[in-house]
């Protein structure tokens, strides 16, 4: 069955009617987006609240599975870790005399530096930037100017997406451990000089990586001694059972640590899911998806149907 317009319209009239309909739909969409932006702003405010410094904060357990290598907890308030008590039992880290483990306690003195998580600082700043973009889209410029709103929504999608990726652990803010490990004066008493304590964010979890280090010259001397032993016939185990697996993924790599070249003797990684950061991640993912839908809808009505990759 075919449907015919009566009286029949010429091609020019039909095209004009299509343009008029698209214009009306675009105007309706732009008006409805102003209401949708209000709801999106509420979602961004919820994210900002979850990232804000609020007592008592989030206390997270940081303990290794099936071993006593790392046992302890830290407390995060906003973008800072304000408390921490970690017990270490590592083969390469002799415990102090009279103790069964090495204890790391974040200093509570007024002069101690803050242990700040740069990734969370960036996420908070990006959420605030997103709120500013919403305000500009709502109160500045012409809300019925499709090109203006499209550019604002495109910027908003990129900013929210960058914040989400930051919580996943992407971006330079995570930092290199040899440059951004916690300084000794953050602890009371100070940790052993051969110990690296590095906190970061990955997949909405707080990740602690503890490394014991040795000077490259000492490491090479030990390696040379081990080679001498194997040459004298003490490699029977390797010949029978094969070579031992690598203890960790940084063996054999030299790092510049506090002005000297070092190797990593032992590396332990533990993580703890942070419920507040998981909630922020879920909200940002939903908000980014919603803004992407608006962008695609505007593209169609503006006559640009090229879709954007994530």
């Amino acid at each position: 069955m075919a449907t015919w317009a009566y009286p029949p319209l010429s091609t020019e009239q039909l095209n004009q009617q299509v343009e008029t309909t698209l214009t009306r739909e675009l105007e309706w969409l732009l008006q409805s987006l102003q209401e949708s932006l209000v709801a999106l702003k509420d979602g961004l405010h919820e994210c900002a609240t979850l990232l804000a410094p609020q007592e008592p904060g989030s206390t997270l357990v940081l303990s290794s599975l099936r071993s006593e290598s790392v046992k302890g907890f830290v407390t995060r308030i906003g973008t800072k870790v304000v408390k921490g008590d970690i017990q270490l039992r590592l083969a390469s880290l002799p415990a102090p005399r009279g103790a069964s483990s090495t204890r790391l306690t974040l200093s509570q003195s007024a002069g101690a530096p803050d242990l700040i998580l740069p990734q969370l600082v960036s996420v908070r700043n990006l959420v605030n930037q997103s709120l500013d973009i919403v305000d500009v889209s709502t109160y500045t410029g012409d809300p019925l100017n499709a090109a203006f709103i499209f550019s604002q929504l495109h910027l908003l999608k990129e900013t929210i997406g960058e914040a989400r990726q930051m919580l996943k652990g992407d971006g330079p803010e995570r930092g290199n451990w040899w440059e951004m490990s916690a300084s000794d004066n953050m602890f009371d008493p100070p940790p052993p000089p051969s110990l690296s304590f590095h906190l970061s964010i990955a997949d909405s979890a707080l990740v602690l990586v503890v490394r014991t280090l040795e000077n490259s010259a000492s490491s090479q001397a030990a390696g040379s001694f081990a080679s001498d032993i194997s040459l004298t016939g003490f490699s029977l185990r390797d010949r029978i059972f094969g070579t031992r697996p690598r203890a960790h993924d940084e063996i054999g790599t030299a790092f510049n640590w506090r002005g000297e070249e070092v190797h990593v003797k032992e590396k332990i990684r533990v993580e703890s899911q942070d419920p507040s950061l998981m909630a922020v991640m879920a909200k940002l993912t939903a908000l980014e998806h919603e803004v992407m839908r608006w962008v695609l809808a505007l593209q169609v009505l503006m006559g640009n149907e090229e879709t954007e990759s994530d």
Side-chain angles (χ1 to χ4, degrees), residues 177-205:
W177 67 264
W178 58 91
E179 297 173 332
M180 300 187 67
S181 293
S183 60
D184 292 348
N185 54 0
M186 291 180 178
F187 300 91
D188 185 20
S194 61
L195 184 70
S196 164
F197 183 97
H198 183 239
L199 281 172
S200 62
I201 303 296
D203 293 325
S204 305

Side-chain angles (χ1 to χ4, degrees), residues 177-178 213-217 219-220 249-257 260-264:
W177 67 264
W178 58 91
L213 313 171
E214 64 178 344
N215 186 277
S216 291
S219 175
Q220 291 171 0
D249 60 348
E250 293 177 347
I251 283 184
T253 304
F255 301 94
N256 187 6
W257 163 263
E260 65 175 340
E261 189 177 88
V262 299
H263 284 82
V264 179

Side-chain angles (χ1 to χ4, degrees), residues 199-263:
L199 281 172
S200 62
I201 303 296
D203 293 325
S204 305
L206 188 64
V207 178
L208 168 64
V209 182
V210 176
R211 295 172 174 87
T212 56
L213 313 171
E214 64 178 344
N215 186 277
S216 291
S218 302
S219 175
Q220 291 171 0
S224 176
F225 178 70
S227 298
D228 292 341
I229 292 178
S230 66
L231 289 174
T232 58
F234 286 92
S235 59
L236 181 61
R237 180 193 179 281
D238 290 347
R239 293 179 181 177
I240 297 175
F241 300 104
T243 58
R244 298 181 181 182
R246 292 164 58 92
H248 56 79
D249 60 348
E250 293 177 347
I251 283 184
T253 304
F255 301 94
N256 187 6
W257 163 263
R258 298 178 179 177
E260 65 175 340
E261 189 177 88
V262 299
H263 284 82

Side-chain angles (χ1 to χ4, degrees), residues 275-288:
S276 296
L277 298 185
M278 292 174 66
V280 174
M281 171 70 84
K283 291 179 183 295
L284 290 177
T285 301
L287 294 175
E288 182 187 18

Side-chain angles (χ1 to χ4, degrees), residues 62-72 86-91 93 100-103 266 268 270:
L62 287 172
S63 297
S64 53
L65 298 175
R66 298 182 295 277
S67 77
E68 298 291 325
S69 299
V70 181
K71 295 290 181 182
I86 305 290
Q87 301 280 352
L88 301 177
R89 291 185 179 180
L90 305 178
L93 185 68
S100 60
S101 61
T102 301
R103 185 178 183 182
E266 194 171 358
I268 303 293
V270 295

Side-chain angles (χ1 to χ4, degrees), residues 123 126-127 158-168 284:
V123 173
L126 288 166
V127 168
E158 289 188 340
T159 306
I160 294 176
E162 187 178 351
R164 182 180 61 81
Q165 289 297 118
M166 197 72 64
L167 281 178
K168 286 182 64 66
L284 290 177

